[in-house]
């Protein structure tokens, strides 16, 4: 059988999960000798070829809802120190990545992960990915219910399940009972959000969200879903995607296209045909979006205990520092940490009497609990340090920009989110930022330099909306000045307490296009 899409051909020839047992044999080969289909299948093991494609990879470790024990954090730190140049990345989906490994390294890494209950299986590839969720699950004073058992049930069902190891593309699921949209519901393939119906606590579900070059906001199914029904609904949606999803053109294979073409009513019918009758009605429980940030010291629902949210700049943490946080989690708490989808860390179970002593530790100078309104709310992708698609550096550039903005605008008074992504894949989610930047390269005068397109006014939560794209590209040399002008315009135009996205919505796109027009180099450079 021949397929138009080479990825479909590879998956037909050999299930991606088969690659896991073949890693030792592949480790004996030079990278250029490995079949391209096997390089692709390595994603099913959570191993992704990084830039430059010279035989070095990243390994991505799944942390459902960001759950992480101190023992697991110590093992991750040890592996990063031994094989990953002492660096760890927290991803925008609560996973962690260790870069710069070889396949020979992976032969040691994967068993050591398994020994402490961690897995990289299907962290990449055309499969159900890790389950995104509320980093505070189980301790959250605002959650409608503790979602950890539900997340674990769904996660374990899909993990290594060959019935779902050949989907048209990746399948991203979010499960949260936090009303502040901690799970970024509208940009997932499938998301469960808190709801109530006649006094009963459960969920509503959204399907068909996604970003990249053609962003779609997920649409809400008409069901009230009881906690015991979440797994069945997840299986039904994944089955629909597997059986009816598009497989011809690689850039048109995500679930969002199928949902858009079928319509939400038809999707609901197909889901219910598998699950049996589901309840209608109920009301989604919402509160203002918290951007996935959980900074500072806050009371848990367990009396006398607090959680402490820590800022990790651009999600980058050294192995030594992760090990230090693990030690603090054991010394002051009960050995529990969480990662967030804003690329940060949370320490749980800190007795109120111990909080002050904890915060006196030297490490909090580098990882603050109350970061700046720009530096603490920015997100970036990996950039050209490791990614094969991004033509620009992102992490250091964004940090320099947000440091400058914090210094220039101490009066901003509330978070302003600048997201910088290195290419059209939108891994840093610029479409939901206050100011979203997508990088590229173009000739400006006699040089080829980084350039950026700009969008403004994105947000999630209730009344979610994507940022409005602005025309023109801005050269790197002018980027800081542009951002300062955009922020100054916000300060000049905002009404009392009004967030950036609301000011953009009220004033209209043209008011912001006029700022970019002053700096745009044009499509021809």
């Amino acid at each position: 059988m021949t397929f138009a899409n080479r990825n479909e051909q590879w998956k037909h020839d050999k299930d991606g999960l088969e690659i896991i047992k073949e890693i030792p044999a592949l480790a004996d080969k030079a990278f250029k000798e490995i079949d391209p289909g096997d390089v692709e299948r390595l994603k099913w093991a959570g191993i992704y070829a990084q830039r430059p494609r010279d035989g070095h990879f990243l390994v991505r470790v799944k942390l459902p809802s960001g759950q992480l024990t101190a023992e697991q954090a110590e093992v991750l730190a040890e592996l990063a120190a031994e094989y990953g140049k002492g660096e760890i990345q927290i991803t925008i989906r609560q996973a962690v990545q260790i870069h710069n490994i070889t396949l020979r390294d992976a032969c040691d890494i994967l068993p050591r992960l398994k020994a402490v209950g961690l897995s990289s299986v299907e962290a990449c590839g055309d499969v159900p990915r890790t389950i995104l969720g509320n980093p505070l699950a189980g301790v959250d004073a605002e959650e409608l219910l503790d979602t950890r058992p539900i997340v674990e049930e769904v996660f374990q069902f899909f993990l290594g399940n060959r019935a779902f190891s050949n989907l048209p593309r990746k399948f991203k699921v979010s499960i949260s009972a936090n009303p502040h949209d901690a799970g970024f519901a509208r940009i997932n393939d499938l998301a469960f959000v808190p709801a109530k119906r006649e006094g009963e606590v459960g969920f509503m579900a959204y399907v068909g969200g996604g970003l990249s070059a053609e962003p779609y906001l997920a649409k809400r199914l008409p069901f009230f879903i009881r906690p015991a029904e979440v797994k069945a609904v997840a299986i039904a949606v994944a089955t629909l995607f597997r059986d009816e999803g598009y497989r011809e053109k690689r850039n048109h294979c995500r679930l969002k296209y199928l949902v858009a073409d079928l319509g939400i009513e038809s999707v609901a019918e197909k889901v219910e045909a598998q699950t049996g009758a589901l309840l209608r009605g109920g009301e989604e429980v919402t509160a203002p979006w918290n951007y996935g940030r959980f900074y500072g010291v806050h009371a848990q629902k367990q009396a006398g205990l607090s959680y402490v949210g820590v800022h990790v700049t651009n999600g980058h943490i050294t192995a030594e520092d992760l090990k230090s946080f693990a030690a603090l989690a054991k010394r002051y708490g009960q050995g529990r940490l969480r990662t967030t989808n804003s690329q940060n860390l949370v320490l749980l179970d800190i007795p109120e009497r111990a909080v002050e002593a904890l915060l006196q530790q030297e490490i909090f100078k580098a990882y603050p609990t109350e970061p700046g309104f720009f530096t603490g709310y920015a997100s970036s992708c990996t950039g050209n340090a490791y990614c094969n698609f991004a033509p620009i550096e992102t992490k250091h550039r964004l940090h320099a920009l947000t440091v400058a903005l914090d210094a220039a605008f101490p009066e901003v008074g509330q978070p302003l989110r600048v997201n910088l992504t290195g290419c059209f894949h939108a891994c840093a989610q610029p479409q939901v930022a206050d100011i979203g930047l997508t990088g590229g390269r173009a000739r400006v005068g006699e040089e080829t330099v980084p350039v950026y397109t700009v969008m403004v006014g994105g947000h999630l939560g209730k009344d979610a909306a994507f940022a409005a794209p602005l025309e023109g590209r801005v050269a790197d040399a002018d980027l800081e000045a542009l951002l300062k002008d955009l922020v100054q315009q916000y300060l000049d135009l905002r009404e009392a307490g009004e967030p950036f996205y609301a000011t953009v919505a009220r004033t209209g796109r043209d008011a912001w296009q006029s700022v970019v027009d002053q700096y745009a180099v044009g499509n021809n450079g």
Side-chain angles (χ1 to χ4, degrees):
M1 184 179 296
T2 302
F3 296 85
N5 181 329
R6 67 174 185 172
N7 293 73
E8 290 301 316
Q9 186 70 56
W10 288 332
K11 290 185 289 184
H12 175 266
D13 293 343
K14 180 169 62 179
D15 190 289
L17 291 172
E18 288 292 315
I19 205 69
I20 297 171
K21 63 186 180 186
E22 299 174 5
I23 292 173
L26 294 176
D28 291 331
K29 295 183 177 182
F31 181 74
K32 63 182 179 181
E33 297 173 350
I34 300 175
D35 182 270
D38 282 339
V39 174
E40 178 68 15
R41 293 183 195 99
L42 282 167
K43 296 177 183 178
W44 273 247
I47 298 171
Y48 198 108
Q50 68 181 41
R51 179 181 189 161
R53 294 172 70 88
D54 62 356
H56 286 86
F57 299 80
L58 67 85
V59 59
R60 182 180 297 156
V61 183
K62 301 163 85 170
L63 303 177
S65 272
Q67 298 179 76
L68 183 66
T69 68
E71 180 188 15
Q72 291 169 337
E74 288 168 345
V75 169
L76 289 170
E78 290 165 2
L79 293 172
E82 291 177 42
Y83 300 116
K85 297 184 178 180
E87 300 174 341
I88 292 171
Q89 294 285 338
I90 302 172
T91 78
I92 213 157
R93 288 190 62 82
Q94 297 179 281
V96 294
Q97 293 179 175
I98 300 173
H99 289 264
N100 299 303
I101 73 161
T102 66
L103 293 183
R104 180 57 58 197
D105 299 336
C107 295
D108 182 43
I109 290 171
L110 300 189
R112 287 168 67 180
L113 291 174
K114 185 177 181 180
V116 290
L118 294 174
S119 178
S120 65
V121 173
E122 297 180 319
C124 317
D126 297 348
V127 291
R129 301 290 183 89
T130 193
I131 308 292
L132 188 69
N134 179 14
L136 304 182
V139 306
D140 186 356
E142 293 186 83
E143 67 182 354
L144 270 66
L145 72 160
D146 181 356
T147 50
R148 288 176 299 167
I150 301 169
V151 168
E152 182 67 10
E153 180 183 33
V154 176
F155 177 76
Q156 290 297 337
F157 174 82
F158 284 115
L159 183 64
N161 187 334
R162 289 177 181 261
F164 296 94
S165 62
N166 180 4
L167 300 179
R169 284 293 300 271
K170 55 192 169 186
F171 181 60
K172 296 182 175 181
V173 179
S174 166
I175 302 173
S176 174
N178 176 286
H180 296 280
D181 194 17
F184 291 21
R186 302 290 298 279
I187 58 173
N188 281 274
D189 293 290
L190 171 64
F192 296 89
V193 299
K196 288 184 177 180
R197 180 183 182 275
E198 298 178 358
E200 185 177 6
V201 172
F203 300 91
M204 288 182 171
Y206 286 85
V207 293
L211 297 179
S212 195
E214 291 187 280
Y216 283 67
L217 286 172
K219 299 177 181 179
R220 193 167 72 184
L221 290 167
F223 310 129
F224 175 81
I225 301 164
R226 289 174 164 141
E229 297 169 330
V230 169
K231 176 183 171 184
V233 172
I235 294 170
V237 174
T239 301
L240 172 64
F241 183 36
R242 181 194 65 196
D243 296 348
E244 299 189 33
Y246 305 133
R247 292 179 180 265
E248 290 189 8
K249 297 179 180 179
R250 188 72 178 160
N251 62 355
H252 193 70
C253 291
R254 289 292 300 274
L255 178 62
K256 61 187 180 183
Y257 296 110
L258 179 65
V259 171
D261 288 348
L262 289 175
I264 195 65
E265 296 83 4
S266 178
V267 171
E269 290 175 5
K270 291 173 180 289
V271 167
E272 204 167 23
Q274 297 184 60
T275 61
L278 295 168
L279 293 171
R280 294 322 200 255
E283 183 177 358
E284 185 177 339
V285 178
T286 64
W289 186 35
N290 69 356
Y291 329 116
R293 266 71 176 186
F294 300 89
Y295 295 136
V297 179
H298 302 274
Q300 296 181 185
K301 62 184 178 183
Q302 294 82 8
L305 297 180
S306 297
Y307 69 86
V308 179
V310 177
H311 174 55
V312 180
T313 301
N314 290 323
H316 178 273
I317 187 169
T318 67
E320 180 181 356
D321 288 343
L322 181 59
K323 202 164 189 175
S324 295
F325 276 121
L328 292 175
K330 289 193 292 187
R331 177 181 174 187
Y332 290 96
Q334 299 170 17
R336 297 198 299 165
L337 306 95
R338 299 280 170 83
T339 57
T340 76
N341 59 354
S342 55
Q343 302 175 281
N344 294 305
L345 274 177
V346 180
L347 281 66
L348 303 184
D349 311 318
I350 310 301
E352 292 174 359
R353 65 181 183 279
V355 168
E356 185 175 352
L358 170 68
L359 295 181
Q360 293 303 311
Q361 301 299 310
E362 186 74 16
I363 198 167
F364 290 100
K365 292 182 179 178
Y367 300 89
T369 60
E370 298 291 348
F373 285 128
F374 293 93
T375 52
Y377 294 84
S379 292
S380 68
C381 67
T382 297
N384 66 5
Y386 299 121
C387 178
N388 294 297
F389 297 102
I392 64 163
E393 193 280 324
T394 56
K395 288 188 177 293
H396 295 296
R397 186 65 180 121
L398 181 59
H399 185 58
L401 290 165
T402 53
V403 166
L405 292 171
D406 270 331
F409 300 102
E411 75 277 26
V412 69
Q414 58 185 320
L416 202 156
R417 300 166 297 110
V418 182
N419 289 8
L420 170 57
T421 200
C423 75
F424 67 90
H425 286 106
C427 294
Q429 303 174 348
Q431 296 96 331
V432 298
D434 289 315
I435 302 173
L437 304 170
T438 300
R441 296 186 71 85
R443 286 192 66 82
V444 178
E446 299 300 315
E447 296 183 273
T448 299
V449 300
V451 295
Y452 307 84
T453 56
V454 184
M455 55 186 73
V456 293
H459 66 103
L460 291 175
K462 188 178 181 180
D463 301 322
F466 288 136
L470 304 178
E471 296 177 4
R473 295 179 294 175
V474 177
D476 188 75
D478 294 324
L479 187 57
E480 182 179 324
L482 166 71
L483 291 176
K484 287 180 176 178
D485 281 358
L486 289 171
V487 174
Q488 186 59 58
Q489 174 152 297
Y490 163 60
L491 296 178
D492 292 341
L493 296 178
R494 71 175 176 179
E495 296 180 348
E498 189 174 53
F500 188 96
Y501 70 82
T503 302
V504 171
R506 179 174 53 80
T507 57
R509 176 183 176 279
D510 289 349
W512 305 87
Q513 180 65 58
S514 64
V515 179
V516 174
D517 286 343
Q518 300 174 49
Y519 295 96
V521 296
N523 292 331
N524 297 320

